């Protein structure tokens, strides 16, 4: 069984920073690709950032230049460094990962979400 556990959310003032972590555990071989999504109240879930197996990254226009997605293969963890946060970044942030399991099958998994609130 595979689990994705997010951490690092919280309350931060505008202009501040947070780093979200998404750790995969269980019967895994590796994380093939990962991404962060967010969902604000009353809005649809949107893609924020992605990272591929060779660490190529992509970002939504709304966070480009402020957020950085990265990965640590040894820890099976994907990170989202968020700088210069704005009130409109307030949302529940979800990790999604395409994981190669110990039986060498590939599946998509979602984390449970972590709340980020940007407010003074």
């Amino acid at each position: 069984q595979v689990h994705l556990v997010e951490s690092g959310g919280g309350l931060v003032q505008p202009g501040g920073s947070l780093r979200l972590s998404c750790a995969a555990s269980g019967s895994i071989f590796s994380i093939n690709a990962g991404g962060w999504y967010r969902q604000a109240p009353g809005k649809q879930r949107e893609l924020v950032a992605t990272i591929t197996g060779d660490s190529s990254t992509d970002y939504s226009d709304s966070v480009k230049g402020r957020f950085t997605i990265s990965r640590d293969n040894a820890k099976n963890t994907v990170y989202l460094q968020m700088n210069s946060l704005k009130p409109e970044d307030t949302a529940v942030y979800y990790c999604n990962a395409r994981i190669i399991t110990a039986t060498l099958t590939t599946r998509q998994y979602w984390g449970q979400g972590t709340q980020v609130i940007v407010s003074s």
Side-chain angles (χ1 to χ4, degrees):
Q1 199 166 358
V2 175
H3 298 281
L4 289 183
V5 178
E6 297 128 333
S7 60
L11 173 64
V12 64
Q13 292 187 341
S17 298
L18 285 174
R19 189 176 82 153
L20 305 183
S21 299
C22 172
S25 64
S27 301
I28 63 175
F29 178 74
S30 68
I31 296 178
N32 180 251
W36 287 93
Y37 293 71
R38 67 185 181 187
Q39 187 167 17
K43 294 188 177 181
Q44 289 188 331
R45 189 173 296 189
E46 63 172 349
L47 178 63
V48 175
T50 59
I51 187 165
T52 65
D54 63 358
S55 295
S56 296
T57 59
D58 197 14
Y59 301 90
S60 67
D61 288 342
S62 61
V63 307
K64 202 170 292 184
R66 300 188 297 122
F67 290 12
T68 303
I69 189 171
S70 61
R71 59 190 293 165
D72 185 331
N73 293 331
K75 296 182 178 180
N76 288 316
T77 300
V78 177
Y79 302 98
L80 186 67
Q81 177 68 43
M82 305 186 295
N83 298 329
S84 302
L85 282 161
K86 305 175 181 180
E88 51 263 44
D89 294 318
T90 294
V92 178
Y93 283 71
Y94 296 91
C95 173
N96 176 272
R98 187 166 69 240
I99 290 176
I100 303 172
T101 69
T103 57
L104 300 183
T105 57
T106 302
R107 281 189 58 187
Q108 295 274 356
Y109 292 88
W110 286 93
Q112 81 285 356
T114 185
Q115 177 75 58
V116 172
I117 299 173
V118 185
S119 175
S120 55

